[in-house]
Amino acid sequence: GMANSLERLRNCTTCMLARYPLVLVRPKAHRLAAREAGEVRELKREPFIAYAEPGEKHGREIIRGAVGFNPEIAYSSGDLLFVSALVEAGFGLAVMPTAMLRVFSGAVSAKPMAGTEVGFGLAAAVRKAGMDAAVTNLVSIAMKEAGGAATL
């Protein structure tokens, strides 16, 4: 249960691997696409596509943290390719970490959110005691690949 999860976390240390800024992704044909960044007041009328399994709330929370209001979620999917297809087809806007932009085609515009420093962190949790050489090596490789500067 929850007590066991908390105990496991106390026995772990986290290493930040990388931090990616969040960007507003919209079709290039969208009325706001020519703007440098998303103006929050103009986004309140826009539907969003959440990158989360239907019924999960974390996709909405990420978008709300980036735009500062409770967004209208038109669709929600845990499949990144499906999210990109919905955005490209004009069904809504998305807020995504820059690391995930490679799945989108050239038919979208990705711009930083105006007035926000919201980002997405990628971290590894590692047991404090008894970490063997294989795990240490795996975490080191992950940090290198993600561009993180942390060390174990």
Side-chain angles (χ1 to χ4, degrees), residues 16-23 51 58 62 95-100 117-123:
M16 183 59 69
L17 301 176
R19 186 149 180 83
Y20 303 100
L22 293 178
V23 292
Y51 178 51
H58 69 269
I62 290 169
V95 174
M96 303 296 285
T98 54
M100 293 181 175
E117 295 297 322
V118 177
F120 178 82
L122 178 62

Side-chain angles (χ1 to χ4, degrees), residues 52-104:
E53 292 297 328
E56 292 181 359
K57 296 181 181 173
H58 69 269
R60 175 186 298 272
E61 296 304 315
I62 290 169
I63 296 169
R64 182 169 58 184
V67 299
F69 62 86
N70 199 21
E72 173 198 340
I73 303 297
Y75 297 94
S76 184
S77 176
D79 182 332
L80 187 55
L81 291 175
F82 188 62
V83 170
S84 69
L86 288 170
V87 172
E88 291 169 12
F91 288 99
L93 310 179
V95 174
M96 303 296 285
T98 54
M100 293 181 175
L101 291 178
R102 71 184 99 181
V103 301
F104 289 86

Side-chain angles (χ1 to χ4, degrees), residues 13 24 30 34 38 53 64 66 94 140 142-143 146:
T13 185
L24 179 67
H30 191 274
E53 292 297 328
R64 182 169 58 184
S140 296
M143 285 191 285

Side-chain angles (χ1 to χ4, degrees), residues 10-63:
R10 282 190 207 105
N11 293 327
C12 291
T13 185
T14 58
C15 306
M16 183 59 69
L17 301 176
R19 186 149 180 83
Y20 303 100
L22 293 178
V23 292
L24 179 67
V25 184
R26 54 203 164 195
K28 283 190 176 175
H30 191 274
R31 65 183 180 82
L32 299 175
R35 306 257 174 106
E36 185 57 32
E39 293 293 331
V40 172
R41 70 185 186 303
E42 294 174 332
L43 297 176
K44 286 184 178 180
R45 297 185 307 241
E46 299 293 330
F48 284 85
I49 311 299
Y51 178 51
E53 292 297 328
E56 292 181 359
K57 296 181 181 173
H58 69 269
R60 175 186 298 272
E61 296 304 315
I62 290 169
I63 296 169

